[in-house]
Amino acid sequence: SKATLFDGDAKVKITFNDVAGLDEAKEEIQEIVEFLKNPKKFTDLGGKIPKGALLVGPPGTGKTLLAKAVAGEAGVPFFSLSGSDFVEMFVGVGAARVRDLFKQAKEKAPCIIFIDEIDAVGRSRGRGAMPGSNDERENTLNSLLVEMDGFATDSGIIIMAATNRPDVLDSALLRPGRFDRQISVDKPDIIGREAIFKVHLKPLKLAADIDPKELSAQTPGFAGAEIANVCNEAALIAARRGKSAVDMKDFQEAMDRVIGGLEKKNKLIS
Ligand code: ATP
């Protein structure tokens, strides 16, 4: 059904506890949880609740996770779509889908709408794309702007969007009343990586030689998604070897694999 397309029906179980590190981002975003839980507190004093917040940071740093955690903390439905879904869409479909999304969200408010990779639709109009190929993208962007302007600030809908290219976004998106708040979600430092390891080590059966500090020291440059990946790979490697607990050797191999994968990806990009 259309409802499941945007997931708005499923109850979000993710909370801030699932998001490790990112203390500053969590602190900033806590405000949105308050807006959703108790809008009257703000509107009674004449304040206008923001409609949108932009999460800015490299891939795999937890932007989607953080947006879901806001929904989980506030106990509201989470609707999501990805900008890249619109790239090869037939004329009219992207704009119609945006309208449909907002219609459903209005019925379920208070709620969150999350738009991943917003740069795919939100690229500055009239430049950067191949000639003739970007009409539908522009239609979609225009309908997003119309929808954002079309609901009241006290309607209980908050739109969060994620990007790693804020520089290419159409300035219309960043105007007051639209995505006028930016929250940066950066790659974790050594302390952050340790915290993320702890989250993803929790479900594993670990040997006594596993030390999250050591794992964190050995993974400079890793984002949360890569750390999650390492932990899962290590468990699979240990299982394949018939072990009863995941040990440091399994992690070593898992880290090598993930680093190898990253190097391949970098080579393709450069
Ligand atoms: P992208 O820009 O590629 O969409 P993203 O920033 O939205 O990436 P997520 O999809 O939220 O990243 O992260 C992918 C997975 O990596 C999460 O589901 C989670 O398992 C893990 N992860 C990423 N960051 C964190 C974090 N700070 N704490 C715990 N887990 C994390």
Side-chain angles (χ1 to χ4, degrees):
S1 80
K2 278 181 181 166
T4 52
L5 177 63
F6 309 119
D7 310 314
D9 284 336
K11 186 147 175 55
V12 180
K13 291 199 188 82
I14 291 167
T15 67
F16 285 153
N17 276 337
D18 300 300
V19 188
L22 301 179
D23 292 339
E24 255 175 67
K26 275 200 248 178
E27 205 169 293
E28 285 176 57
I29 223 165
Q30 174 65 39
E31 194 184 27
I32 296 179
V33 177
E34 301 300 325
F35 292 148
L36 287 163
K37 273 171 122 173
N38 195 359
K40 236 174 106 27
K41 179 171 148 194
F42 301 90
T43 52
D44 276 356
L45 295 179
K48 275 204 186 96
I49 291 172
K51 289 182 175 180
L54 194 62
L55 305 178
V56 178
T61 47
K63 298 181 290 297
T64 307
L65 192 66
L66 195 58
K68 271 193 186 149
V70 171
E73 292 282 339
V76 303
F78 182 82
F79 292 90
S80 71
L81 55 80
S82 174
S84 61
D85 294 344
F86 294 109
V87 172
E88 283 180 52
M89 215 158 252
F90 295 110
V91 177
V93 175
R97 197 175 273 192
V98 168
R99 281 197 299 274
D100 197 28
L101 171 64
F102 276 81
K103 187 166 164 270
Q104 286 187 51
K106 277 175 199 159
E107 285 163 11
K108 294 270 169 77
C111 68
I112 283 175
I113 293 178
F114 178 68
I115 306 171
D116 202 3
E117 298 178 63
I118 192 164
D119 44 282
V121 270
R123 221 165 254 272
S124 168
R125 283 166 293 187
R127 75 165 169 92
M130 283 162 280
S133 71
N134 61 347
D135 290 1
E136 183 47 19
R137 192 188 60 74
E138 288 193 6
N139 282 341
T140 307
L141 172 57
N142 287 331
S143 91
L144 177 63
L145 294 172
V146 166
E147 291 295 336
M148 274 191 95
D149 293 344
F151 70 84
T153 54
D154 62 355
S155 67
I157 301 175
I158 292 191
I159 309 169
M160 289 202 262
T163 183
N164 51 13
R165 294 295 312 274
D167 53 308
V168 302
L169 291 182
D170 197 293
S171 59
L173 277 170
L174 307 175
R175 245 169 245 155
R178 293 171 183 163
F179 295 102
D180 50 5
R181 273 169 207 237
Q182 292 201 15
I183 296 172
S184 50
V185 181
D186 292 317
K187 276 197 182 180
D189 61 9
I190 191 164
I191 308 283
R193 292 198 301 276
E194 187 185 339
I196 297 170
F197 263 111
K198 283 182 178 158
V199 166
H200 293 280
L201 289 173
K202 211 174 265 166
L204 307 186
K205 249 195 181 160
L206 297 174
D209 67 346
I210 298 298
D211 174 9
K213 266 203 176 65
E214 178 59 31
L215 292 170
S216 156
Q218 288 194 36
T219 47
F222 276 40
E226 282 125 32
I227 292 175
N229 196 351
V230 162
C231 292
N232 193 55
E233 276 296 320
L236 297 181
I237 290 166
R240 223 172 285 138
R241 290 179 179 154
K243 292 183 188 173
S244 58
V246 194
D247 63 26
M248 200 55 194
K249 206 160 166 278
D250 306 314
F251 270 91
Q252 213 69 57
E253 198 173 317
M255 287 187 284
D256 289 345
R257 268 191 207 178
V258 173
I259 291 167
L262 289 178
E263 279 168 358
K264 224 186 251 161
K265 209 160 80 188
N266 288 339
K267 234 185 233 155
L268 284 175
I269 291 167
S270 60

